[in-house]
Amino acid sequence: MPGPQIALLGAVAGFTIYLGLPIGRLRNPAPRLKTGLNAGAIGILLFLLWDILGAAWEPIDAALGDHHWGTALTGGLVLAVGLTVGLAGLVHYDRWAARRQAPAAASPQGLPPRPN
């Protein structure tokens, strides 16, 4: 990818973050705004996931096509272990963050927090 194209993509990414900063500071954003922004973010993340998994699968597919079974098996195992460790790391982080916030969410009287 040429340098100017990389710079342009970086500028677009930076500009979207710059635009999103005021929205992140809103106390009560409109539900339609939150829904639209979530849908856009989820779409971008799914595109990135598909792009990365497609690029990760290419060498395995090429090895299978050339009947290099050892290379295909090794690549497939690395891909599976990487996905497993990455997803398990996300689950671990989510549980850690929930445990960290749980004591702060309790009310001063020791009652459980009110549902939102």
Side-chain angles (χ1 to χ4, degrees):
M1 184 178 295
Q5 190 175 8
I6 292 172
L8 178 65
L9 290 174
V12 169
F15 186 66
T16 57
I17 292 169
Y18 177 73
L19 285 177
L21 288 174
I23 294 172
R25 304 275 303 163
L26 292 175
R27 297 240 185 246
N28 293 319
R32 292 185 82 169
L33 177 65
K34 286 173 57 175
T35 302
L37 291 174
N38 279 334
I42 290 168
I44 290 169
L45 289 173
L46 285 174
F47 166 76
L48 289 173
L49 178 69
W50 186 263
D51 191 43
I52 290 168
L53 289 178
W57 178 254
E58 283 178 11
I60 299 167
D61 191 37
L64 287 171
D66 294 337
H67 302 289
H68 296 185
W69 307 118
T71 304
L73 180 63
T74 304
L77 285 174
V78 168
L79 179 61
V81 168
L83 285 172
T84 302
V85 169
L87 291 174
L90 288 173
V91 169
H92 176 71
Y93 176 78
D94 186 49
R95 289 182 181 167
W96 173 79
R99 279 194 312 266
R100 194 169 153 228
Q101 288 181 344
S107 66
Q109 294 84 13
L111 299 173
R114 287 185 294 167
N116 290 336

